[in-house]
Amino acid sequence: MIVRGDERVLVQGITGRQGTFWTERMQAYGTRVVGGVNPRKAGTSHCGVPVHATARDAMAADGFDVSVLFIPPLGVKEAALDAIEAGARRIVILTEHIPVQDVMWVLAAARERGCAVLGPNTAGCVTPGECFVGFMPAFDAEIFRPGNVGVVSRSGSLGTLICLNLVQAGLGESAFVGIGGDPVIGTTTRDALVALDRDPRTEAVVLVGEIGGAMEEAAAEYAAGMSKPVAAFVAGRASPPGKKMGHAGAIVMGDRGTYASKRSALEAAGVRVLDTPSDVGPVMREMLG
Amino acid sequence: MNFEEHAGKAVLAAAGIAVPRGELVTSPEAAAAACRRLGPVVVKAQVPTGKRGKAGGIAVVDDADAARAAAERILGMSIGGHPVERLLVEGRAAIRHELYAAVLDDPDSKGPMVMLSSAGGMDIEEVAERHPQKLVREAVDVRSGLDEVAARAIAARVGSDVAPESLADFLVRLYRAWRDADAELLEVNPLAVLDDGSLVALDCKLTVDDSAVVRQAELAATGSPERLSDLEARGRDLGLKYIELDGDIGVLANGAGLTMTTMDVIAHHGGRPANFLEIGGESYTKAEPALALVLDNPRVRSLVVNFCGAFARTDVMTAGVLDAFDALRPTVPAFFSVHGTGSTEARAMLRERLGREPYPTMDEAIAAAVAAARGAEGGR
């Protein structure tokens, strides 16, 4: 999911502490926040934009293209369904620890209505120089600079480190897509890879994966047919099996989700797999010629 | 959260699924007494892990003396790191054949998946690999659930000699139990078909979604708490994910991905991490107790503090780390890498309060920490 600077963003949960902190930063960076949602504060104004009772009201009032949710885990299902029923084309779910059955419900409803979901448990997405949605440090010039490398990452913190290394190598990013660390998510690594492949500003891609699940293997199938060069770093090589490594999705069960499986699938697809994130700068410079 | 077999079977029974008559016991005497009441029995170790049979934790016995002997042998065994403290003693019945049934989260279809196989009683991964035609998988829309009609279609596809309506009824009940328990996995293997054609769940594996435990308090009280080391238990009490490892380089980082990567890069440079501990997300304000946790591991010989802030502000995390340094005055050398949200303030704090400059890159900080753990040099 790539969000452009001219797209209208709704913030569900805008009046909370984190909602306020990050709305102010999104606005300062250039994200076009057109409104917020809080049923108890409808009719007021917050961060200089109107607060609505529901996403449906927000759609009726000013419209929006993307909704981002700063909502606690057990409230996400209702808020996301509100946005989907309002006709949102894209929603970004940042929350971690949402019950998986709630996530499945939201994703089924979204699919039916043609709404793309980023997350849950993501730090969001960044289009450097234009806008960001979520809680990425887009405003930090050491980390994000407009450029031609697209980055897709399951992890916000590791994705941030990769972007830092790109900028330290004199490169910049066309888009950062954080897909989230949960096992069941809307936009997969492969979906994000397809979006970056089609993005005219992206000339090379860094795929940041981690152990658990089979998303890197599915992305590798697509990468095999790409003409844009792809490099990858997969976290969790030194992690013990059978334990959830912080992310609910980062767990090796038997032969499934192992580092070795992901690395060999990516390498077979012609993806350059890095041993440390510090290699990403020099390798990308070389790949971009 | 994992559940022992008897706790999983209680969930099945509440959903109207037949389970064998059985008793939960904690002593050889009680096992013998149960056998006297139940007749020929199976004595089964109750531990929240698979492969109990292969580990010798299951015994088929015909009389009370044999039940007592089996219980004596199995109680006190350790299976997959779990000491056996309880046994389930269950009556046996004549079985015509065994099926496999499960409902589980499927990341590919992003919804629940019902699985049914005519090849029960064996490892399902093996069935999937060797007899894929014997395994029916059906994705379900979580909003509408599994109804009779869909369940009958699944039942018809496995080609067993059980009446399709009875198998369909079982599947509908299994699905509802999965849904109502917020389960990630509810598996019955084997599902026995008795001589009279009735279905009985001979074993049960239940895993409940950790994120749903908050709304499953009653059920969670019957689940098996994770086996934790003392330090891991302290982490849990603080609301931190701390995993104790066997290396000597302490790790404090923010975010699961960055923390795993810190461990990977330590290994890449020839070192061994002492722990996983991340203070990302909402826990970024807990740097002080988190660092105390890392340093209380007596194996730690050097420390890596690796922050790359997005949501987690590095200024807030660094302030917590410095408070912990003031309070604990650690003697192990520490190596810092600090980037991202709030890093200008964080670096200024490190300079003022600790007289330290973070390394320009994570790799340099980690390489130095690995060298220090080997005793080559002090911290910077």
Side-chain angles (χ1 to χ4, degrees):
Chain A
M1 182 179 304
I2 300 170
V3 177
R4 296 288 174 210
D6 58 352
E7 294 188 277
R8 299 161 302 169
V9 175
L10 180 72
V11 181
Q12 291 177 262
I14 193 171
T15 57
R17 193 169 52 92
Q18 296 297 348
T20 303
F21 182 90
W22 287 99
T23 298
E24 285 170 354
R25 269 146 197 82
M26 286 193 276
Q27 288 172 321
Y29 191 67
T31 306
R32 196 177 155 202
V33 178
V34 293
V37 174
N38 178 341
R40 288 179 306 280
K41 296 197 177 156
T44 65
S45 160
H46 192 79
C47 298
V49 295
V51 178
H52 306 276
T54 63
R56 278 161 289 190
D57 288 354
M59 187 61 92
D62 306 309
F64 63 89
D65 301 300
V66 181
S67 184
V68 57
L69 280 67
F70 286 89
I71 302 282
L74 296 183
V76 167
K77 181 178 169 185
E78 189 186 341
L81 291 176
D82 175 27
I84 292 163
E85 279 157 29
R89 306 314 298 164
R90 279 171 290 169
I91 59 176
V92 179
I93 304 177
L94 308 167
T95 315
E96 187 177 6
H97 303 307
I98 306 169
V100 179
Q101 292 192 15
D102 288 6
V103 175
M104 291 173 168
W105 193 295
V106 168
L107 295 182
R111 188 161 37 196
E112 197 169 271
R113 297 289 297 264
C115 171
V117 177
L118 194 62
N121 192 9
T122 172
C125 58
V126 184
T127 307
E130 290 189 24
C131 69
F132 80 97
V133 178
F135 39 69
M136 289 297 292
F139 38 80
D140 189 328
E142 281 187 6
I143 297 169
F144 287 103
R145 214 176 75 176
N148 56 3
V149 181
V151 179
V152 48
S153 178
R154 279 165 79 176
S155 161
S157 56
L158 177 55
T160 304
L161 178 74
I162 293 287
C163 290
L164 171 84
N165 285 331
L166 289 171
V167 169
Q168 281 179 339
L171 297 164
E173 304 91 358
S174 50
F176 171 87
V177 186
I179 59 169
D182 274 5
V184 179
I185 55 175
T187 301
T188 62
T189 312
R190 183 190 173 117
D191 295 336
L193 196 57
V194 172
L196 293 170
D197 193 23
R198 290 179 185 158
D199 172 36
R201 298 189 208 172
T202 299
E203 288 169 30
V205 176
V206 184
L207 189 163
V208 187
E210 58 193 41
I211 53 166
M215 282 200 299
E216 289 76 10
E217 288 85 337
E221 280 175 22
Y222 182 82
M226 278 174 68
S227 54
K228 296 178 184 179
V230 181
F233 177 77
V234 179
R237 188 180 201 172
S239 293
K243 296 206 181 254
K244 281 183 190 170
M245 302 306 290
H247 278 161
I251 179 167
V252 171
M253 299 292 281
D255 295 338
R256 187 177 159 89
T258 63
Y259 179 84
S261 157
K262 292 174 190 304
R263 183 165 189 141
S264 67
L266 288 163
E267 284 179 340
V271 173
R272 177 93 167 260
V273 181
L274 312 172
D275 286 320
T276 158
S278 306
D279 291 344
V280 73
V283 166
M284 266 298 133
R285 287 190 70 93
E286 180 196 320
M287 283 180 146
L288 285 162
Chain B
M1 170 177 263
N2 292 320
F3 288 70
E4 292 176 4
E5 176 191 5
H6 65 93
K9 279 179 167 167
V11 169
L12 295 179
I17 292 170
V19 298
R21 285 189 308 135
E23 295 181 27
L24 190 65
V25 303
T26 55
S27 72
E29 251 344 286
C35 181
R36 273 181 223 113
R37 285 187 285 272
L38 295 166
V41 292
V42 188
V43 178
K44 305 169 89 174
Q46 296 298 289
V47 281
T49 180
K51 318 265 185 236
R52 289 174 300 161
K54 279 181 191 146
I58 296 177
V60 178
V61 297
D62 292 331
D63 59 46
D65 285 344
R68 185 187 296 106
E72 264 167 15
R73 181 176 60 77
I74 299 172
L75 282 170
M77 278 177 66
S78 180
I79 301 178
H82 302 271
V84 180
E85 289 162 356
R86 284 171 296 281
L87 304 169
L88 182 61
V89 180
E90 281 189 335
R92 305 210 303 268
I95 294 163
R96 197 158 74 202
H97 68 256
E98 295 182 337
L99 309 176
Y100 169 94
V103 184
L104 69 162
D105 292 357
D106 176 35
D108 295 334
S109 64
K110 303 176 188 179
M113 169 86 72
V114 175
M115 301 216 300
L116 186 65
S117 171
S118 57
M122 54 185 107
D123 193 349
I124 194 63
E125 282 83 13
E126 209 177 303
V127 174
E129 201 166 292
R130 288 166 55 183
H131 311 285
Q133 76 288 352
K134 287 188 183 167
L135 182 62
V136 173
R137 301 162 193 258
E138 185 71 26
V140 176
D141 187 325
V142 76
R143 294 170 301 165
S144 47
L146 182 74
D147 63 20
E148 262 323 299
V149 178
R152 249 190 223 224
I154 297 169
R157 280 165 61 197
V158 294
S160 89
D161 56 354
V162 186
E165 56 270 24
S166 129
L167 200 45
D169 177 69
F170 165 84
L171 287 177
V172 168
R173 289 176 192 277
L174 188 71
Y175 182 87
R176 285 189 193 141
W178 172 86
R179 181 195 63 195
D180 294 344
D182 266 308
E184 282 174 7
L185 169 69
L186 181 58
E187 181 185 76
V188 176
N189 187 29
L191 171 64
V193 184
L194 303 188
D195 280 341
D196 64 0
S198 63
L199 296 167
V200 178
L202 293 193
D203 197 0
C204 179
K205 191 169 175 190
L206 169 64
T207 308
V208 167
D209 176 7
D210 289 329
S211 297
V213 162
V214 288
R215 67 183 185 197
Q216 294 285 351
E218 204 179 316
L219 177 61
T222 71
S224 305
E226 240 185 306
R227 293 193 65 79
L228 302 174
S229 70
D230 291 347
L231 288 170
E232 288 172 341
R234 248 175 73 194
R236 179 203 52 206
D237 295 343
L238 288 164
L240 296 171
K241 183 71 177 177
Y242 175 95
I243 300 173
E244 198 171 331
L245 305 167
D246 52 11
D248 55 9
I249 300 172
V251 175
L252 181 66
N254 66 286
L258 187 64
T259 309
M260 275 190 276
T261 302
T262 306
M263 291 162 50
D264 295 343
V265 176
I266 287 172
H268 179 67
H269 286 286
R272 295 171 71 205
N275 65 278
F276 173 95
L277 174 59
E278 66 118 337
I279 52 168
E282 295 284 354
S283 59
Y284 73 84
T285 54
K286 299 178 184 167
E288 184 181 358
L291 186 61
L293 198 56
V294 173
L295 294 173
D296 277 351
N297 179 342
R299 284 192 301 276
V300 168
R301 298 183 61 191
S302 71
L303 171 70
V304 176
V305 177
N306 186 15
F307 294 151
C308 199
F311 175 83
R313 289 164 51 182
T314 57
D315 51 337
V316 175
M317 294 189 287
T318 301
V321 165
L322 291 168
D323 289 346
F325 264 80
D326 288 346
L328 304 168
R329 311 217 161 264
T331 51
V332 297
F335 304 86
F336 294 85
S337 171
V338 178
H339 298 280
T341 313
S343 61
T344 308
E345 297 85 340
R347 284 177 202 155
M349 271 188 265
L350 274 172
R351 270 193 295 273
E352 281 160 28
R353 290 177 57 184
L354 210 59
R356 297 286 192 83
E357 193 67 42
Y359 284 81
T361 71
M362 176 181 103
D363 267 73
E364 289 165 83
I366 288 174
V370 170
R374 288 194 188 123
E377 60 181 273
R380 169 171 160 180

